[in-house]
């Protein structure tokens, strides 16, 4: 059996009791380490100690090109594939599941919290979110704005947009790729500030007002950990707020904001008076 | 401290290790038992045995009218408020959180899986979901269709719609309310079949084609439990599929369906050939 096991959002103790029981009895344990990271346990040895099992860190290369090694013998023995958050959060690992099916390996999923549902902690109702988008790091030559129409679609209905922010873990340097021997860049995690910069650059270019510097948004950092931080303000304000260590996410607040949601945002406002001005002017909400 | 603790979707072992540690040391433990139920553990005594703590079942009346009893002394002692799924899933218990804030009681949330993210297990990408809707039981005199414009908004963009289905637990009978002494109805859980009936009745009345009997949908039952069942087909097909015991949910599939998502639906098709016909004709997807 191949088990996809969600680890949740904080540290090693956010795994479920059921998940931990399964991990402890699996013959091999892999940790997916390229689409997210467990904030409190960047070091796999901490997981190993907690599980009492060896943990094999699976980077993108391994999962994409050596999936048969991961799946070896899983018709007979139990193998765990650990995913930070929920296995069906942002990335679904459907290639691995599909390959398992081809090899007649049964699979089972043990769910956990992911940013996709835990973001409700900021006080915005999950009911009022539209489609989720991803923001990737801009480079000098690649500044994709394919997310923009999706934000626009959400905004036209008045829905909130959850923006998942890029992480780059174990990316080979361009120079090393040219030389044929891979050397890896240090890991990078997009901050709320960088996300805001990129969003505003794209709006500046397109001028279609899917959002503006005055759009209210919520910066979310280290959700589900003890140092969780959430701040609401305009994009212009959030550009300069220091959210500290990764992981960060951002929510663009839609115009169909309810009074109760607005109350929650006021509790975490960067500047409550300034927020009230924008709430009254652009969202029709007065206190 | 007041802890909001998500129990996840299956049974008592889906709580996180962190959540279990907190529950075991709390002075009082409440179980929110009116917006969802833990499928494998309908009997609170099973939770009590697992936690080694007394569990107080909190129905809607208690949470709404006796919140100060729940919060009593929580400035000094730890109190746990257990919620099936994630505390910020469908219902946010913001009244309780607000009351705690007024009483200077610090709160903390321990997240878990909810239907809002675990529904990705059906093979549809969470990225492609629009706003979530709730379907309530129709009565002879109350057949609300306020969900309809929301489905329509999602459908116009081509997004999927997660439909959460009503549960009625500990509802007083109308007769007993009239007499002034409450007697409760037996619990009721909306089935996929009932949801489809109601959806089609509303479409029949409105004729605006937010969806039709030919719209592809996924019926989801007991997600996250060992008896989890997911079936994809047209609404007309799903009307007659027996999904067994509660809880059920339903996903209306949007036209922006990806090939990979369609592949996943084919794996769980009620009738694969019939599904392929509709995929080709209405969703532009051929295999």
């Amino acid at each position: 059996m191949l088990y996809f096991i969600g680890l949740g959002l904080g540290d090693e103790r956010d795994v479920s009791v059921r998940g931990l029981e399964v991990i402890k009895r699996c013959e091999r344990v892999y940790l997916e380490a390229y689409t997210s990271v467990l904030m409190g346990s960047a070091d796999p040895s901490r997981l190993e100690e907690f599980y009492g099992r060896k943990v094999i860190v699976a980077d993108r290369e391994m999962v994409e090109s050596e999936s048969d090694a991961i799946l070896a013998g899983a018709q007979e023995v139990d193998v765990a594939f650990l995913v930070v958050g929920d296995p069906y959060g942002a990335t679904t690992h459907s290639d691995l599941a599909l390959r398992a099916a081809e090899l007649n390996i049964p699979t089972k999923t043990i769910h956990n919290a992911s940013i996709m549902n835990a973001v409700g902690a900021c006080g915005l109702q999950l009911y009022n979110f539209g489609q989720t988008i991803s923001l990737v790091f801009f480079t000098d030559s690649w500044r994709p704005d394919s997310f923009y129409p999706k934000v626009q679609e959400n905004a036209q209905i008045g829905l909130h947009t959850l923006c998942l922010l890029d992480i780059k873990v174990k990316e080979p340097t361009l120079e090393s790729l040219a030389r044929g021997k891979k050397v890896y860049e240090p890991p990078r995690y997009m901050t709320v500030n960088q996300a805001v910069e990129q969003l505003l650059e794209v709006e500046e270019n397109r001028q279609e007002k899917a959002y503006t510097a005055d759009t209210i948004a919520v910066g979310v950092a280290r959700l589900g950990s003890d140092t969780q931080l959430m701040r609401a303000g305009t994009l212009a304000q959030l550009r300069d707020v220091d959210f500290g260590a990764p992981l960060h996410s951002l929510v663009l607040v839609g115009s169909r904001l309810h009074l109760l949601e607005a109350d929650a945002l006021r509790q975490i406002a960067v500047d409550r008076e300034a927020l009230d001005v924008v709430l009254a002017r652009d969202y029709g909400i007065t206190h």
Side-chain angles (χ1 to χ4, degrees), chain A residues 8-10 32-42 84-85 167 169 189 246-247:
Chain A
L9 293 166
E32 191 270 58
Y34 57 96
T35 60
S36 192
V37 291
L38 207 55
M39 287 162 285
S41 313
V84 174
I167 78 169
V169 182
Y189 307 94
L247 299 172

Side-chain angles (χ1 to χ4, degrees), chain A residues 93-113:
Chain A
H93 306 97
S94 44
D95 289 350
L96 190 60
L98 199 65
R99 183 67 187 140
E102 285 168 5
L103 296 170
N104 291 316
I105 295 168
T107 61
K108 198 161 191 171
T109 299
I110 298 178
H111 292 284
N112 211 319

Side-chain angles (χ1 to χ4, degrees), chain A residues 8 11 33-34 52-53 67-68 95 99 102 116 119-120 126 132 136 143 153 160 203 214 216 233 243 259 265 268:
Chain A
D11 64 28
Y34 57 96
R53 317 283 302 143
S67 61
D68 281 9
D95 289 350
R99 183 67 187 140
E102 285 168 5
M116 308 288 272
V119 70
L126 291 180
T132 298
V136 299
R143 306 174 93 73
E153 288 165 343
H160 313 315
E203 177 57 42
D214 279 346
I216 296 174
F243 283 88
L259 195 59
L265 297 188
I268 55 170

